[in-house]
C-alpha cells in the first residue's frame, strides 16, 4: 500500500461568510501524480496554500509525512516540498545561475547541483544571461528548476506548462514521470486538462470548495456514463453481417458503436473476430475536458 505523504481530513477554510474549502478529505500517495481541476474560485489555490503552511485551516487537519503540518516540526516538513507558482516573479537583473543559487541558499541547499538542474530543464546555455532577457517559457523552466532544489518528496505545480512550447511541455512531463518513479508525490493544478490526462494517476475535481470527483480516468468515465465511440470501416461491405445489431451503420462500409467503459472489452472481442475484414478502426474515448464539463453540469442539477 502506498504511503500518504499529504493528508487533509475534514478541512474547511472560511474567509468570513465565504467558504473557500468545505469539509475536504484528500490523500496524496507516494509516487503518484494527481491532477487538480476546477474553475477559478473552486478552492485549488487555498488547498495549495494550506499544504505549503501559508495558512491554517478553519476546521480539520493537514498532515505532511504523517505529522501535523502546523506543528513544531512544520518548517522541517515543508523543506521537503517544492512549489512552482502560477505567476513566476524572478529578478530581471540576475542571471539564471544567480537566481538558482539565491533559491538554493534560501532553501539551505548546496549549489553544487545547480548546473545539473539547469541542464535538466533545458536552459544550461542561458545560465549566465540575465533573466530579463529570458522568454516566458525560459522563465518557467528556471522556476521549475528552483522547485526541484533539494529533491523534494512533494511537489506542488500550479499551471506549470503556461508559456511552454510543445517541446518544453514534453520535457516537463518527462520530468514528472522521472519524479514519480523516484517516489515523489506531485499535485498538478491546471486548466490544460487535455494535456494532463495521460500523465495523471488520479484526477481530483473541485467545485465551490468541495471535492466532487476523485479517481483515475477510467473510473471517472464509468461514473459519468459518457460513452466511448468505436468506428469500423470494412474492406468488404458484406462483412457487417457478423456485427451485433447494437452497431449503427454510418454508410455502406462504416459502422459505429457507442458503449460504456465497462463494455469496451467485449466490443474489442467482437472486433477481433472480424479483424481480417477491417480496413480501419478508430476508438474515441471521452476526454478529460468532456468528463470535467459533465461533472460540473451534474452538480448543477
Amino acid at each position: 500500500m502506498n504511503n500518504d505523504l499529504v493528508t487533509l481530513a475534514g478541512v474547511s477554510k472560511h474567509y468570513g461568510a465565504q467558504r473557500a474549502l468545505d469539509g475536504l478529505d484528500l490523500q496524496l500517495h507516494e509516487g503518484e501524480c494527481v491532477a487538480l481541476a476546477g474553475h477559478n474560485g473552486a478552492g485549488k489555490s487555498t488547498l495549495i496554500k494550506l499544504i505549503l503552511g501559508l495558512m491554517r485551516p478553519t476546521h480539520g487537519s493537514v498532515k505532511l509525512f504523517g505529522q501535523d503540518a502546523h506543528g513544531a516540526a512544520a518548517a522541517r516538513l515543508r523543506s521537503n516540498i517544492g512549489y512552482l507558482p502560477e505567476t513566476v516573479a524572478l529578478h530581471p537583473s540576475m542571471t539564471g545561475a544567480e537566481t538558482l543559487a539565491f533559491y538554493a541558499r534560501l532553501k539551505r541547499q548546496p549549489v553544487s547541483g545547480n548546473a545539473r538542474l539547469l541542464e535538466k530543464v533545458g536552459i544550461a546555455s542561458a545560465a549566465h544571461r540575465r533573466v530579463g532577457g529570458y522568454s516566458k517559457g525560459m522563465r518557467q523552466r528556471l522556476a521549475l528548476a528552483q522547485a526541484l532544489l533539494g529533491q523534494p518528496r512533494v511537489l506542488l505545480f500550479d499551471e506549470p506548462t503556461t508559456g511552454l512550447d510543445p517541446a518544453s511541455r514534453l520535457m516537463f512531463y518527462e520530468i514528472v514521470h522521472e519524479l514519480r518513479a523516484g517516489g515523489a508525490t506531485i499535485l498538478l493544478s491546471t486548466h490544460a486538462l487535455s494535456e494532463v490526462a495521460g500523465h495523471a494517476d488520479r484526477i481530483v475535481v473541485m467545485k465551490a470548495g468541495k471535492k466532487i470527483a476523485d479517481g483515475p480516468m477510467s473510473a471517472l468515465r464509468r461514473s459519468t456514463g459518457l460513452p466511448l465511440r468505436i468506428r469500423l470501416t470494412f474492406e468488404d461491405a458484406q462483412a457487417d453481417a457478423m456485427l451485433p445489431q447494437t452497431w449503427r451503420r454510418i454508410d455502406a462500409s462504416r459502422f459505429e458503436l457507442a458503449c460504456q467503459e465497462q463494455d469496451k472489452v467485449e466490443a474489442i472481442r467482437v472486433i477481433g473476430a472480424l479483424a481480417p475484414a477491417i480496413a480501419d478502426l478508430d476508438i474515441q474515448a471521452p476526454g478529460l475536458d468532456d468528463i470535467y464539463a459533465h461533472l460540473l453540469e451534474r452538480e448543477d442539477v
Side-chain angles (χ1 to χ4, degrees), residues 8 15 28 118-119 128 130 136 161 164 170-171 208 298:
L8 288 84
Y15 300 100
L28 302 180
L118 291 171
E119 184 176 357
H128 300 292
R130 296 188 185 278
K136 185 175 182 180
T161 58
L164 296 183
L170 180 61
M171 173 275 301
R298 189 170 68 184

Side-chain angles (χ1 to χ4, degrees), residues 167-218:
S168 298
R169 292 181 184 216
L170 180 61
M171 173 275 301
F172 170 76
Y173 286 112
E174 287 175 351
I175 291 175
V176 166
H177 286 282
E178 181 182 325
L179 292 167
R180 285 170 55 207
T185 293
I186 300 151
L187 181 66
L188 202 163
S189 176
T190 183
H191 288 103
L193 300 181
S194 58
E195 75 175 39
V196 79
H199 304 285
D201 301 291
R202 286 162 50 207
I203 296 98
V204 172
V205 181
M206 296 184 62
K207 181 180 180 181
K210 294 179 179 289
K211 183 176 70 173
I212 62 172
D214 183 354
M217 277 286 289
S218 58

Side-chain angles (χ1 to χ4, degrees), residues 274-286:
L274 299 172
I278 295 174
D280 191 25
L281 167 66
D282 182 34
I283 300 177
Q284 298 177 346

Side-chain angles (χ1 to χ4, degrees), residues 64-84:
L64 301 176
F65 316 109
Q67 300 183 56
D68 184 0
H70 299 92
R76 176 179 58 80
L77 297 174
R78 286 196 292 273
S79 68
N80 284 307
I81 297 178
Y83 174 49
L84 175 60

Side-chain angles (χ1 to χ4, degrees), residues 77-247:
L77 297 174
R78 286 196 292 273
S79 68
N80 284 307
I81 297 178
Y83 174 49
L84 175 60
E86 178 179 5
T87 303
V88 179
L90 303 171
H91 201 291
S93 297
M94 297 173 69
T95 67
E98 289 170 344
T99 300
L100 198 57
F102 167 78
Y103 280 106
R105 289 191 292 269
L106 198 64
K107 295 183 176 182
R108 299 179 181 178
Q109 296 295 328
V111 298
S112 56
N114 285 8
R116 182 187 59 80
L117 270 179
L118 291 171
E119 184 176 357
K120 187 183 189 74
V121 300
I123 55 171
S125 61
H128 300 292
R129 287 169 48 191
R130 296 188 185 278
V131 172
Y134 280 17
S135 67
K136 185 175 182 180
M138 291 172 68
R139 291 195 299 273
Q140 193 77 355
R141 287 169 178 251
L142 180 57
L144 173 59
Q146 70 77 26
L148 299 177
L149 282 164
Q151 298 181 312
R153 296 177 63 196
V154 173
L155 291 124
L156 308 176
F157 294 143
D158 194 355
E159 299 293 342
T161 58
T162 299
L164 296 183
D165 57 40
S168 298
R169 292 181 184 216
L170 180 61
M171 173 275 301
F172 170 76
Y173 286 112
E174 287 175 351
I175 291 175
V176 166
H177 286 282
E178 181 182 325
L179 292 167
R180 285 170 55 207
T185 293
I186 300 151
L187 181 66
L188 202 163
S189 176
T190 183
H191 288 103
L193 300 181
S194 58
E195 75 175 39
V196 79
H199 304 285
D201 301 291
R202 286 162 50 207
I203 296 98
V204 172
V205 181
M206 296 184 62
K207 181 180 180 181
K210 294 179 179 289
K211 183 176 70 173
I212 62 172
D214 183 354
M217 277 286 289
S218 58
L220 295 189
R221 284 196 190 104
R222 285 193 294 270
S223 71
T224 58
L226 292 173
L228 291 86
R229 298 191 179 276
I230 305 174
R231 287 190 175 184
L232 293 179
T233 301
F234 289 107
E235 292 181 344
D236 179 359
Q238 302 302 317
D240 68 284
M242 295 179 62
L243 279 178
Q245 293 183 353
T246 49
W247 288 77

